Amino acid sequence: MRDFLYSEIAAIHGFDNIPDDPDLAIAAGTRLCEELLEPLQDAFGRIAVRGSYRSSEANALGNRLMRQGKAAYNCSINESSWAGHIWDRLDDRGLMGATACVIVPGFIDRFPRAGEWRRLAWWIHDHLPYSSLCFFPVMHAFNIRWREVPERRIDSFVSPRGCLTKPGMANHEGSHQKEWRGIV
């Protein structure tokens, strides 16, 4: 939990990144770890956590400074981050969730080219009970989110940008083994 509680925003601005509801944060974080991060690490080797839990205070400051153009923290408003990066608040439907931004070095070593993030995305889609994935341009970093009721949506800021899949899309159901074959 110590690794999850580290926040650059809080450290830079001199406050602690501590949950208001530690029991809820621990429950959500445990599910994120047991159902997503540990199986991901079992399949691909050590993962690196770039960011995860944010207190409401840290997230709100990050959002405010980003909107003012004073920092590139990329934090959304608190309400959008509940049961996401803010693990100790239920979302607007009363559901628990947790998000971590991770890098999978073993995957990057084998598949460094742009666009290959889709191989990892499809493997996760076929093997893990994720709620949402969002891939970023640097080192195949991505947010992986666990929620009590998963959305099962994959988005990317990497080419090809946009939504890879979500419920209702023709490519959502069935096996995607041809997309990820050979990555594990």
Side-chain angles (χ1 to χ4, degrees):
M1 190 68 177
R2 179 181 301 126
D3 289 342
F4 291 124
L5 292 177
Y6 176 75
S7 162
E8 287 181 5
I9 296 169
I12 289 168
H13 297 281
F15 60 91
D16 293 325
N17 187 48
I18 302 297
D20 293 327
D21 185 342
D23 292 335
L24 180 56
I26 290 168
T30 297
R31 299 289 296 271
L32 172 69
C33 289
E34 290 177 351
E35 295 183 28
L36 299 178
L37 301 182
E38 290 170 6
L40 190 62
Q41 185 163 278
D42 289 345
F44 294 96
R46 188 81 174 132
I47 63 172
V49 176
R50 296 188 57 189
S52 51
Y53 171 80
R54 291 187 202 129
S55 67
S56 293
E57 179 183 14
N59 194 76
L61 177 62
N63 178 261
R64 187 174 73 249
L65 293 174
M66 178 191 69
R67 284 185 293 107
Q68 294 171 350
K70 295 180 180 176
Y73 291 134
N74 295 323
C75 298
S76 63
I77 63 171
N78 278 1
E79 292 79 7
S80 297
S81 294
W82 292 341
H85 280 293
I86 301 175
W87 301 1
D88 60 332
R89 293 289 300 265
L90 300 176
D91 68 14
D92 59 356
R93 296 183 298 170
L95 299 173
M96 177 174 59
T99 297
C101 183
V102 300
I103 295 173
V104 182
F107 179 80
I108 296 168
D109 291 345
R110 293 183 58 213
F111 304 99
R113 293 190 313 259
E116 290 186 303
W117 63 269
R118 291 175 292 182
R119 297 173 73 132
L120 181 59
W122 284 123
W123 185 91
I124 293 169
H125 184 76
D126 284 356
H127 291 89
L128 302 179
Y130 75 98
S131 180
S132 62
L133 302 173
C134 186
F135 286 79
F136 303 107
V138 178
M139 299 179 71
H140 298 309
F142 61 98
N143 280 351
I144 184 168
R145 184 179 203 181
W146 173 87
R147 291 181 74 183
E148 286 182 283
V149 178
E151 295 173 33
R152 306 285 294 169
R153 179 183 175 115
I154 303 173
D155 293 289
S156 177
F157 290 102
V158 184
S159 182
R161 294 174 59 101
C163 182
L164 177 64
T165 193
K166 65 181 179 180
M169 287 180 72
N171 68 353
H172 194 71
E173 300 299 326
S175 172
H176 303 87
Q177 185 175 6
K178 66 181 172 112
E179 302 293 335
W180 55 261
R181 182 179 290 124
I183 69 168
V184 289

